DNA sequence: GTGAAAGCGCTAACAG
DNA sequence: CTGTTAGCGCTTTCAC
C-alpha cells in the first residue's frame, strides 16, 4: 500500500481534489451528497492529508520549540520538568509538535538551536529569564516567543511567572504563625529581581511581628545545593544567635541547608525548621519530607503554550502571573506553640 | 526583509537556482567561480534553504519522536530522563528534531500520538518494553523504530538494553565481598524477562558462596516505592532470619525499602545494607546516599538515536547491550570484614 | 456546486 | 558547466 494523496481520494469518490479538500477542512461549498461520498472514502482508507505540503503552502512548520539552557533544563533542574508536562499536554489541543532543543555555549557565546536558525519553528518557549541577546535573535526572525518563569519585572515580552514575593511572604508568615520568631533566609541573588521579591516578601512578613533580623540571617549567595550548604554554614557559625527556622527560596537550597544542619548535629525540625519553595519531585523524598510552597508548574507550562499559540495566531497575549501561595505541609517545620 | 528563496539568491549571484542548490548541497557540477559567487551571497544574506519544501520533496519530516508511556516517561521515572539527554545530544549531529509525545489510554486502548497517525515522523524511539500491538501499528506504517530499555530477549526488533543479569550478579557479588552472607532481593516481576535476569544474576552470585536462601528473602512484587516498602516489610517480618543486606533491582525500590527499614527502627547500613540499581538522580540525595549499579543511560539514549538513524537510512541495525556492571559506592553498604 | 490550474521552495532530470 | 522545467501534495482562486 503506497501513500494516498488527495487526488487518489478524489478519484475513488468520483469528485475533484477541491471537493476533498473542502470536506477535509470543513468548508462550505460542497453538496451534502458529495460530502458523504468523500467522507466514506476517507473513513475506509484512513486517509490523512500530508502535513508537509501544508507546511510548504502555509509557510508553517507546526513546530514549537522548547529552549532549554544548560542549567535550567528539565534534565538539570527538576522544576522545569513539570512545566514541560503542562506544555506537552496543552500542545495536543492545537496540533503542534513539541521539539526539544538547547542552547549551547561556544566559549561564552550562545549558539541558537538549528531549529531557530532555519526558521523551522512557529514559536519558542524559553525556560527562565533569557538574555536579551538571545531573545533579540528570535525577534529578528519574527518568531513569537514566551518566557516561562521569569523574575524580572520588565514587561516588554510575554511571560508566565510566579509571584515569588507572595511565596516568600506566605512561607515566612507560616513560620511566624507556628511560633517562630528567629527566621533566617537562604536565597540566590544572580537574578536581581528574584532576590528583591524574596527579600521583600520575607521582610514584609517579619515586619508584622516586629522582630529584628541580624544581618547574617540573610544569606543571598545560594546557587545550588552546595552553595546553599555554605549559606547555612554561615548562619550556624553565629552560635549566639541561631535562628529556629530557615526559609529557603528554592527546594534545592533547602536540601543543601538540611544536609548542613544535620551535619552540625542539629535535628530537623526540633532544633531548626526548614521551609522550601517550588515543591520539586525530590522534596517529598528527603528526610524529613520538606514543607514547601508549591508552584503550579504544570499550569505554568500549559498557560505558556496557550499564550504562545495566541501570539502565533497574531493575537495579543498579556503576561500571566500564577498562584504562588500554596503551602504544602510536610514534616520539616516544628510547631512552637 | 521578507523571506529569501533560492531563486532570489540565484538572481543576486547572477546564476541559476540549480547552481545554488548544488552549492548548498556540496554537489559537483559547478565551476569554482560560480561556487564562490554563490557562497558569497549566501554568506552575506545568511540564507537558509526552506526546510518545508525539502520535506515535501523528500517525503520526510525530519522529525524523530520520543514515545513515552504514562508510567515510563522522563516525567514519571527519572530513569528515562537521562536517556532523553543522550538522544537529544546525538540528534544534533543528524539534524533531526526530537519531538516529545506520549501514548494516551482511552479505556485501556492505546491511542497513538498524532505525529504517528499523520506519518509525520521519520522514526520512533520507544521507552521500555512496548506492547506488540503498538509496535505493529508503527510497523504497518513502515516507520522505523528502536526500543530503549527492553528486557524481553526476543530479537525481532532493534533495541538498546542493559544486561540486568550482569548488574544483579555484580551487585550481589559486591555484597558478598563486603562480607555479607544473608542477602535478600527485592524485584519486580511484571516483566518476566527482567525478573528472570535479576534472579539469575542474584542466585549465580550466591551460588559461589554456597549460602542457602530462605524463600521470603526473594520478594518479587515490587512495582514502585510503596510496593517495595511492602516487600521489605515481608522480609523484616521473619525476625529469626533477618538478612544483613538487600539488593533492590531498581533505585526506586531501594528508596522504598530504606524507608521501611528505618521505620522499623533499624539503621542503614549498620543493621542492614542496601544496594540499588539504575543510579537515578534521587539516589545520591537519600539518607544515606545509596550505593548502586549505574546504568549508562545517556549512552543508551545516544546509541538509540544512532541506530534509529541507521534504520531510517535503510541500513540494518543490530540491537545493542550496554555496560551494566558499574558499581557506584556511596554509603548504604557496611563492610563486615 | 463543481473542477481546472496555479503555486508554495526546493531538487534533479534533462537539454543545451 | 549551465539553465529550464517538472513535480512533491495541498489549498485557493477563478471560471464554468
Amino acid at each position: 500500500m503506497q501513500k494516498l494523496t488527495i487526488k487518489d481520494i478524489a478519484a475513488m469518490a468520483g469528485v475533484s481534489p477541491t471537493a476533498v479538500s473542502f470536506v477535509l477542512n470543513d468548508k462550505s461549498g460542497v453538496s451534502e451528497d458529495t460530502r458523504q461520498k468523500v467522507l466514506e472514502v476517507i473513513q475506509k482508507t484512513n486517509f490523512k492529508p500530508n502535513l508537509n505540503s501544508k507546511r510548504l503552502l502555509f509557510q508553517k512548520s507546526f513546530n514549537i520549540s522548547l529552549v532549554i539552557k544548560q542549567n535550567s533544563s528539565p534534565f538539570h533542574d527538576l522544576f522545569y520538568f513539570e512545566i514541560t508536562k503542562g506544555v506537552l499536554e496543552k500542545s495536543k489541543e492545537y496540533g503542534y509538535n513539541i521539539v526539544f532543543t538547547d542552547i549551547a555555549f561556544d566559549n561564552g557565546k550562545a549558539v541558537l538551536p538549528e531549529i531557530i536558525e532555519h526558521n523551522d519553528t512557529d514559536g519558542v518557549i524559553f525556560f527562565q529569564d533569557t538574555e536579551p541577546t538571545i531573545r533579540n535573535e528570535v525577534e529578528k526572525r519574527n518568531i513569537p516567543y514566551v518566557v516561562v518563569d521569569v523574575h524580572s519585572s520588565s514587561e516588554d515580552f510575554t511571560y508566565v511567572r510566579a509571584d515569588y514575593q507572595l511565596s516568600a511572604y506566605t512561607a515566612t508568615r507560616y513560620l511566624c504563625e507556628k511560633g517562630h520568631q528567629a527566621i533566617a533566609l537562604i536565597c540566590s541573588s544572580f537574578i536581581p529581581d528574584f532576590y528583591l521579591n524574596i527579600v521583600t516578601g520575607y521582610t514584609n512578613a517579619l515586619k508584622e511581628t516586629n522582630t529584628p533580623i541580624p544581618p547574617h540571617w540573610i544569606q543571598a549567595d545560594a546557587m545550588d545545593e552546595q552553595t546553599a550548604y555554605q549559606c547555612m554554614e554561615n548562619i550556624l557559625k553565629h552560635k549566639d544567635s541561631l535562628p529556629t527556622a530557615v526559609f529557603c527560596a528554592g527546594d534545592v537550597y533547602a536540601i543543601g541547608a538540611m544536609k548542613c544542619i544535620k551535619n552540625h548535629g542539629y535535628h530537623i525540625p526540633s532544633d531548626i525548621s526548614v521551609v522550601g519553595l517550588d515543591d520539586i519531585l525530590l522534596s517529598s523524598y528527603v528526610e524529613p519530607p520538606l514543607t514547601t510552597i508549591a508552584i503550579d508548574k504544570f499550569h505554568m507550562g500549559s498557560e505558556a503554550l496557550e499564550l504562545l499559540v495566541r501570539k502565533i495566531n497574531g493575537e495579543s497575549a498579556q503576561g500571566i502571573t500564577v498562584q504562588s501561595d500554596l503551602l504544602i505541609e510536610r514534616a520539616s517545620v516544628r510547631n512552637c506553640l
Side-chain angles (χ1 to χ4, degrees), chain A:
Chain A
M1 161 194 141
Q2 60 168 26
K3 210 106 300 167
L4 289 171
T5 76
I6 213 173
K7 248 179 167 167
D8 300 320
I9 303 299
M12 292 167 78
V15 297
S16 76
T18 310
V20 178
S21 174
F22 280 0
V23 172
L24 280 170
N25 297 291
D26 259 324
K27 293 228 167 121
S28 62
V30 270
S31 66
E32 195 47 37
D33 192 36
T34 34
R35 164 166 262 113
Q36 284 311 324
K37 270 190 298 186
V38 171
L39 241 30
E40 200 179 309
V41 178
I42 289 177
Q43 189 99 91
K44 202 169 60 196
T45 56
N46 191 29
F47 170 75
K48 306 277 180 188
N50 184 320
L51 249 176
N52 291 330
S53 41
K54 281 197 200 178
R55 287 193 168 106
L56 177 56
L57 190 58
F58 295 143
Q59 300 281 39
K60 251 188 94 132
S61 65
F62 299 104
N63 288 155
I64 283 178
S65 49
L66 243 44
V67 179
I68 289 162
K69 277 179 291 182
Q70 228 88 10
N71 305 333
S72 64
S73 78
F75 312 122
H76 292 105
D77 190 332
L78 296 171
F79 185 85
Y80 291 96
F81 202 61
E82 290 278 328
I83 296 183
T84 305
K85 279 170 67 177
V87 171
L88 198 58
E89 194 55 36
K90 199 72 180 183
S91 75
K92 291 185 191 171
E93 286 177 28
Y94 295 103
Y96 282 99
N97 291 330
I98 300 300
V99 181
F100 264 65
T101 61
D102 57 6
I103 290 192
F105 284 92
D106 190 11
N107 44 32
K109 216 175 137 32
V111 183
L112 285 185
E114 275 293 294
I115 197 171
I116 293 179
E117 289 285 5
H118 279 270
N119 275 293
D120 189 33
T121 186
D122 296 340
V124 174
I125 294 179
F126 288 108
F127 283 162
Q128 208 179 314
D129 296 66
T130 303
E131 293 80 348
T133 51
I134 296 176
R135 297 204 318 268
N136 281 344
E137 282 296 318
V138 176
E139 268 165 24
K140 210 164 66 187
R141 290 170 171 74
N142 276 315
I143 303 176
Y145 67 88
V146 171
V147 186
V148 187
D149 193 39
V150 273
H151 302 97
S152 116
S153 46
S154 77
E155 313 249 329
D156 55 344
F157 54 82
T158 306
Y159 59 84
V160 176
R161 73 146 63 91
D163 182 352
Y164 287 114
Q165 181 175 328
L166 178 60
S167 308
Y169 178 85
T170 308
T172 313
R173 199 77 209 98
Y174 168 77
L175 286 169
C176 293
E177 280 158 12
K178 289 288 173 190
H180 291 272
Q181 307 220 346
I183 303 171
L185 170 68
I186 292 178
C187 177
S188 66
S189 58
F190 56 91
I191 301 172
D193 293 275
F194 179 71
Y195 169 74
L196 198 67
N197 283 327
I198 293 293
V199 171
T200 307
Y202 165 80
T203 47
N204 281 351
L206 290 181
K207 225 174 258 166
E208 306 178 14
T209 59
N210 246 327
T211 334
I213 309 166
H216 67 273
W217 281 6
I218 300 188
Q219 295 286 331
D221 289 329
M223 306 191 65
D224 52 23
E225 204 196 323
Q226 283 71 39
T227 45
Y229 187 105
Q230 193 52 54
C231 288
M232 194 66 221
E233 197 104 272
N234 294 340
I235 294 172
L236 295 179
K237 250 190 338 222
H238 300 74
K239 300 222 191 247
D240 49 332
S241 57
L242 288 180
T244 65
V246 193
F247 166 51
C248 300
D251 284 357
V252 175
Y253 306 156
I255 290 167
M258 284 168 78
K259 278 204 179 154
C260 179
I261 293 170
K262 288 193 233 168
N263 283 353
H264 278 262
Y266 296 109
H267 192 258
I268 305 168
S270 54
D271 297 320
I272 299 181
S273 297
V274 179
V275 173
L277 169 58
D278 287 345
D279 192 32
I280 60 175
L281 204 53
L282 267 175
S283 307
S284 56
Y285 285 93
V286 290
E287 266 295 316
L290 182 66
T291 291
T292 189
I293 303 281
I295 302 294
D296 193 347
K297 299 166 283 295
F298 187 92
H299 185 224
M300 286 174 81
S302 111
E303 287 288 353
L305 190 97
E306 192 99 41
L307 288 177
L308 184 56
V309 169
R310 215 171 296 159
K311 291 189 81 172
I312 291 174
N313 294 337
E315 301 162 34
S316 73
Q318 286 291 317
I320 282 184
T321 302
V322 302
Q323 195 200 344
S324 316
D325 61 350
L326 178 63
L327 192 114
I328 310 287
E329 279 193 287
R330 287 198 272 251
S332 62
V333 174
R334 170 181 165 225
N335 191 342
C336 306
L337 299 177

